[in-house]
């Protein structure tokens, strides 16, 4: 259910195009809408759109640059991509100063620290909610049926993404209660959990050592995520961390083995424990139970893995996980360690 900026761009213009066609002949409108997908792909600028729609499209382009190109760029390419992302977001804000996604994404480079960004998001979250709720009411007044439901959903997504960023920043800052509260507020606003707030919540509960809360979240998966059970990497790593903290090493190993059974390439990922930059538009979109999903969960899981002092510099839990994972597949562990050496030498 992760946010897909390209799909949302398509939905926004599709709704506007359909509303324009409603004013004409129904048969002609049906024929015209049949060509919408081709026109969107080949000549998007010629379609009916507002400045807010154009601003969102610039956000989509910035997301592609910052979230999906920059992490894989060379040192020579990175500065140009960073500047390109900033320019796109600045242009979006020049078209629509109330483009909340652009404001939120731009704040990453404008706030000097993680704590400052957390405060920036917190101070503005109520205004963003009020703005999105007003847009939702306006959409409800203008449309009906499925269009109305979609338009109202789109209207609230910038607020959901703002709340998701707030929860994630709070977790990184060590404000674990605030992270759990923000994730719960987001789940209340979007029970389908488009933002995957349950992942952030599972780590916040593990940091709080709230075993009862984590068990309750696991029970709620049937409502939050009916098509996927409570066996994603986030909740499994959260259970692993809690078991390790109470010295239940048998239980921790059981969670570790479950991760290795579910995810391809798991041993290498758990040995490397690579850190990725967080998605600026939203949490990166990855396939469920893929190696990429585990890489993302482990990267976000550094808040658990790097707790405590350890000679390796990884943290007590991080070192234990790497060591135990290597025992499950020594060959994969050696390969992962070998591949990591050139990367470390470049740092």
């Amino acid at each position: 259910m992760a946010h897909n900026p390209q799909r949302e761009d398509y939905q926004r213009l599709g709704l506007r195009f359909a509303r324009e066609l409603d004013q004409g002949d129904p048969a002609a409108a049906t024929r015209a809408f049949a060509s919408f997908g081709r026109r969107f792909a080949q000549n998007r600028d010629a379609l009916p759109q507002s400045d807010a729609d154009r601003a969102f499209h610039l956000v989509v382009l910035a997301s592609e640059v910052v979230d999906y190109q920059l992490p894989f760029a060379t040192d020579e390419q990175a500065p140009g991509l960073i500047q390109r992302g900033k320019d796109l977001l600045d242009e979006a804000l020049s078209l629509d100063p109330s483009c909340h996604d652009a404001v939120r994404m731009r704040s990453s480079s404008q706030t000097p620290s993680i704590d400052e960004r957390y405060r920036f998001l917190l101070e503005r979250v109520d205004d963003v909610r009020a703005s999105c709720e007003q847009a939702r009411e306006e959409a409800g007044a203008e449309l009906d049926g499925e269009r109305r439901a979609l338009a109202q959903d789109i209207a609230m997504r910038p607020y959901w993404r703002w709340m998701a960023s707030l929860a994630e920043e709070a977790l990184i800052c060590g404000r674990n209660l605030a992270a759990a509260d923000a994730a719960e507020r987001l789940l209340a606003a979007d029970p389908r959990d488009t933002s995957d707030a349950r992942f952030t919540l599972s780590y916040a509960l593990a940091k709080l050592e709230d075993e009862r809360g984590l068990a309750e979240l696991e029970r709620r998966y049937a409502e939050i995520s009916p098509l996927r059970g409570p066996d994603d990497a986030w909740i499994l790593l959260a259970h692993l961390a809690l078991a390790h903290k109470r010295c239940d090493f048998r239980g921790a190993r059981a969670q570790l083995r479950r991760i290795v059974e579910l995810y391809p390439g798991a041993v290498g990922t758990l040995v490397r424990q690579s850190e990725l930059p967080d998605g600026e538009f939203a949490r990166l979109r990855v396939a469920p139970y893929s190696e990429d999903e585990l890489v993302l969960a482990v990267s976000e899981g550094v808040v658990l893995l790097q707790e405590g002092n350890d000679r390796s510099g990884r943290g007590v839990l991080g070192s234990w996980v790497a060591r135990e994972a290597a025992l499950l597949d020594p060959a994969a562990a050696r390969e992962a360690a070998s591949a990591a050496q050139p990367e470390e030498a470049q740092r």
Side-chain angles (χ1 to χ4, degrees), residues 18-41:
R19 286 157 66 182
E20 295 278 337
L21 293 178
D22 286 344
Q23 302 171 18
D25 175 64
T30 300
R31 290 193 298 271
F33 197 78
S35 67
F36 173 76
R38 175 178 53 79
R39 295 179 63 183
F40 179 87

Side-chain angles (χ1 to χ4, degrees), residues 20 27-28 32 53 66 101 125 166 168 192 236 250 266 271 328 346:
E20 295 278 337
D53 295 327
V66 176
D101 287 307
V125 66
L166 179 63
E168 290 159 10
R192 294 175 300 170
L236 294 178
R250 178 179 295 180
V271 168
L328 295 175
Q346 293 174 4

Side-chain angles (χ1 to χ4, degrees), residues 24 43 61 65 67 70 79 87 90 96 99 118 159 163 173 234 254 258 292 297 304 307 321 330 345:
N43 192 16
L61 297 179
V65 169
D67 290 345
L70 182 58
D87 291 344
D90 287 342
D96 178 17
C99 180
Y118 167 74
Y159 168 64
M163 283 297 299
C173 290
W234 285 267
R258 197 172 177 198
D292 287 341
L304 301 172
E307 273 190 336
V321 166

Side-chain angles (χ1 to χ4, degrees), residues 18 30 44 79 85 88 124 139 151 157 161 168 171 179 186 211 219 230 240 261 281 284 287 314 322 338:
T30 300
R44 182 191 182 283
L88 287 166
R124 291 160 177 77
R157 289 177 195 171
R161 290 189 283 266
E168 290 159 10
L171 183 65
L186 179 50
E211 303 229 22
R219 185 196 65 76
L240 186 157
E261 290 168 359
F281 180 77
L284 300 180
R314 287 189 170 201
S338 177

